[in-house]
Amino acid sequence: MKLFSREWGTGDRYAVLVHGVMSDSRNWRRVGPVLADRGYHVIAVDLRGHGHSPRTDEYSAELMAQDIVDTVPDRPELVMGHSLGGLTVSLAIERLDPERVIYVDPAFSCPATNRFQQLLAPAFLRTLARQSAARIAKRNPRWDPADVAIEVETFRAFDRAVLPVVVTPSAMRAPEVMTVPSLVMLADNSQLVKPELAQRLRGEGYEVRIVPGSGHVINRDDHDGFMRALDGWI
């Protein structure tokens, strides 16, 4: 599947950005231009079932990983994935063969059981898709209004069939070994990479950095803190 993508910059020094579940490539609207100013040709994709990319009868993290491989140039200099995007990037690393990888609060484990069950409940999904800008802004007081408006649109647009298939305990798992230099950037008190897992990743050679005070969507909560946490990796 060829995915819809947004691009910033030119040339052959590629950076590939992959958003999380229920989002789209606009998640990177402030990050993309900064990377372009640093000399990257930035490509941000919409995963299948999200944004302007096709809907389908089949969803899995592995299929989403293959979509990325089928869409972006081979051997990019940098690949960055947030949440579900981090999980799909981890499954595509050997095929993408990038120089460096950045996982942003990646979906490497399942959140608490009661929260997970609530997330997949049809009634909750219908409510989520109808959330108002005011409610999203109240839940995310540090977000720019433009990001709030985008969140409203992406919640309404994404294919809800994605969640029961992709967001499952069996699908959400961390890589066993590090194959390319990798940074794991975590939200404060991450629900997807707990301290025990973070310590295991450090033991495998991953660099792990935490952005104090940030929530799951780090780049929207604290853009400046997000960019500082990338120091030495971009």
Side-chain angles (χ1 to χ4, degrees):
M1 180 183 290
K2 291 290 186 179
L3 302 174
F4 175 85
S5 62
R6 289 180 168 84
E7 300 188 28
W8 299 269
T10 58
D12 56 7
R13 188 181 174 218
Y14 287 100
V16 175
L17 309 182
V18 187
H19 65 83
V21 72
M22 298 185 288
S23 187
D24 69 17
S25 52
R26 289 175 293 177
N27 175 64
W28 306 108
R29 68 179 188 87
R30 296 182 68 188
V31 178
V34 173
L35 294 180
D37 286 345
R38 297 193 180 207
Y40 288 97
H41 182 165
V42 184
I43 301 176
V45 300
D46 288 358
L47 293 170
R48 69 166 60 193
H50 296 74
H52 293 292
S53 286
R55 276 56 178 157
T56 177
D57 293 332
E58 291 187 90
Y59 290 108
S60 72
E62 179 55 47
L63 285 171
M64 290 179 169
Q66 186 59 47
D67 294 341
I68 297 168
V69 174
D70 292 341
T71 301
V72 306
D74 295 332
R75 305 187 71 182
E77 182 170 327
L78 175 69
V79 178
M80 185 185 306
H82 170 246
S83 193
L84 174 63
L87 174 64
T88 58
V89 163
S90 74
L91 298 174
I93 286 303
E94 291 187 5
R95 285 162 284 174
L96 286 172
D97 193 23
E99 292 184 19
R100 298 182 305 286
V101 182
I102 298 170
Y103 299 104
V104 182
D105 212 36
F108 282 172
S109 65
C110 206
T113 302
N114 58 346
R115 170 68 175 165
F116 173 69
Q117 291 173 339
Q118 180 194 38
L119 184 66
L120 298 185
F124 177 77
L125 291 176
R126 288 194 295 270
T127 300
L128 193 65
R130 296 194 300 266
Q131 280 200 49
S132 67
R135 185 176 183 125
I136 293 171
K138 183 176 181 179
R139 195 176 69 248
N140 302 283
R142 301 173 69 185
W143 286 20
D144 186 281
D147 290 315
V148 172
I150 290 169
E151 190 86 334
V152 170
E153 294 177 11
T154 57
F155 275 5
R156 291 174 180 170
F158 96 103
D159 188 347
R160 283 174 277 174
V162 171
L163 279 177
V165 179
V166 176
V167 186
T168 64
S170 60
M172 299 169 69
R173 59 189 183 276
E176 292 298 323
V177 296
M178 187 181 73
T179 56
V180 299
S182 302
L183 167 67
V184 179
M185 184 195 303
L186 299 181
D188 210 342
N189 193 28
S190 173
Q191 299 302 299
L192 299 177
V193 180
K194 292 295 189 179
E196 297 82 4
L197 177 54
Q199 189 59 33
R200 197 265 283 176
L201 292 171
R202 289 188 181 98
E204 294 290 342
Y206 292 81
E207 182 167 356
V208 179
R209 298 179 180 179
I210 298 171
V211 180
S214 69
H216 177 55
V217 190
I218 302 171
N219 57 297
R220 285 175 166 173
D221 274 358
D222 183 1
H223 174 75
D224 292 338
F226 177 86
M227 297 309 303
R228 285 194 297 270
L230 295 177
D231 185 47
W233 284 86
I234 58 171

